[in-house]
């Protein structure tokens, strides 16, 4: 039985004062012992977030594939570990678009993250054009085959995030989510073998809110959610944790 994971991605939002939101989020996480809860704030807030709420899982939003070196502006997985992070998002569609990250790079980042002892959340998802063309399953499968690290199990999490659903208020139907997650589970078994695939959680992400979380989390093969906008305040995020606990 995979534990549910509700992870918040603050993206390039938040400042020191935002860390006050973590108090109620940590309390909600404590009240939901069957659910794993994490917040991924900007790098500069990680250490303070860990100090403020040591019981809450804190993650990064990216890491480099190398452990050190001449890579101005980048951060190594081992540095995230030193700051107190326990997980990291890699291959988010915003980074694939803005920083031109390829599947091969995402795979290397995920491998570096897991080698450093972090949980790697590997993101995949199709564009609006791909969705309209009915090619979602083909594109997501190919993305995953290129991006999955060799390791599996509970150190690996896959987040399915249709790009057209991120920050738009749009979500796929429950049937569409079920179909894509089933395909992803198949690719995990094919790539990692049944045993290592079994512990891998598959999150849905893209416009998850208090209003739709219960429905999305009830979809077969959905093991949790990756939440952007609705993770920025405890008021918006706590009901999503509560929905996962039910
Ligand atoms: P959203 O973002 O919840 O604001 O749509 C999700 C994500 O990009 O992880």
């Amino acid at each position: 039985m995979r534990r549910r994971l509700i992870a918040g991605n603050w993206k390039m939002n938040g400042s020191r004062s935002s860390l006050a939101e973590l108090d109620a989020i940590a309390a909600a996480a404590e009240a939901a012992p069957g659910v794993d809860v994490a917040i991924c704030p900007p790098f500069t807030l990680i250490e303070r977030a860990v100090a403020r709420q040591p019981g809450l899982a804190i993650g990064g939003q990216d890491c480099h594939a190398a452990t050190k070196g001449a890579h101005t502006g980048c951060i190594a997985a081992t540095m995230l570990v030193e700051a107190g992070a326990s997980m990291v998002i890699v291959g988010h569609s915003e980074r694939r678009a803005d920083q031109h990250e390829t599947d091969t790079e995402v795979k290397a980042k995920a491998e570096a993250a897991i080698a450093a002892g972090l949980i790697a959340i590997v993101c995949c998802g199709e564009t609006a054009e791909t969705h309209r063309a009915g090619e979602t399953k083909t594109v997501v499968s190919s993305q995953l085959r290129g991006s999955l690290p060799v390791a599996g199990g509970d150190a690996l999490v896959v987040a399915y995030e249709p790009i057209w659903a991120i920050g738009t208020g749009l979500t796929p139907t429950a049937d569409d989510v079920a179909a894509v997650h089933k395909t992803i589970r198949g690719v995990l078994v094919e790539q990692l073998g049944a045993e290592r695939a079994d512990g891998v959680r598959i999150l849905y992400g893209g416009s998850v809110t208090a209003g739709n979380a219960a429905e999305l989390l009830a979809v077969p093969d959905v093991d949790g959610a990756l939440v952007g906008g609705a993770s920025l305040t405890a008021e918006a995020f706590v009901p999503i944790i509560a929905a996962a606990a039910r």
Side-chain angles (χ1 to χ4, degrees):
M1 192 56 189
R2 290 178 288 272
R3 283 173 62 82
R4 281 185 158 175
L5 169 63
I6 304 296
N9 172 12
W10 281 9
K11 309 190 179 183
M12 199 170 73
N13 296 294
S15 59
R16 280 191 205 176
S17 62
S18 320
L19 296 177
E21 300 295 331
L22 299 184
D23 300 353
I25 292 171
E30 213 175 311
V35 180
D36 291 339
V37 178
I39 289 288
C40 302
F43 293 137
T44 49
L45 295 177
I46 289 176
E47 205 150 2
R48 280 172 197 274
V50 172
R52 184 165 184 132
Q53 288 298 341
L56 189 65
I58 300 297
Q61 299 172 16
D62 178 51
C63 68
H64 197 278
T67 51
K68 62 176 180 173
H71 305 288
T72 304
C74 298
I75 187 147
T78 46
M79 295 170 179
L80 292 175
V81 171
E82 192 176 38
S86 54
M87 60 183 74
V88 64
I89 299 166
V90 293
H92 190 281
S93 60
E94 285 152 16
R95 293 198 59 88
R96 288 178 185 264
D98 298 351
Q99 276 75 34
H100 312 291
E101 289 184 4
T102 62
D103 291 344
T104 310
E105 282 166 329
V106 173
K107 174 181 176 156
K109 284 167 185 249
E111 281 175 352
I114 292 171
L118 295 169
I119 289 172
I121 304 179
V122 177
C123 301
C124 59
E126 82 285 4
T127 62
E129 294 72 44
T130 302
H131 177 68
R132 275 196 297 272
E135 286 164 4
T136 297
K137 288 194 224 168
T138 316
V139 166
V140 168
S141 300
S142 137
Q143 223 176 18
L144 268 184
R145 286 189 185 101
S147 309
L148 282 180
V150 179
D154 52 14
L156 175 63
V157 175
V158 170
Y160 168 56
E161 300 204 299
I163 295 169
W164 53 272
I166 295 176
T168 58
L170 302 171
T171 50
T173 63
D175 284 352
D176 282 350
V177 173
V180 179
H181 279 233
K182 189 172 175 214
T183 300
I184 291 174
R185 178 95 9 239
V187 172
L188 288 169
V189 172
E190 162 208 297
Q191 295 292 300
L192 306 172
E195 203 177 314
R196 279 193 292 172
D198 192 52
V200 181
R201 289 172 283 188
I202 310 173
L203 313 183
Y204 167 78
S207 294
V208 175
T209 63
N212 61 21
E215 190 195 353
L216 288 163
L217 289 166
V219 173
D221 277 316
V222 172
D223 300 311
L226 182 56
V227 184
S231 71
L232 292 173
T233 62
E235 189 187 4
F237 196 52
V238 165
I240 300 173
I241 299 170
R246 280 197 291 273

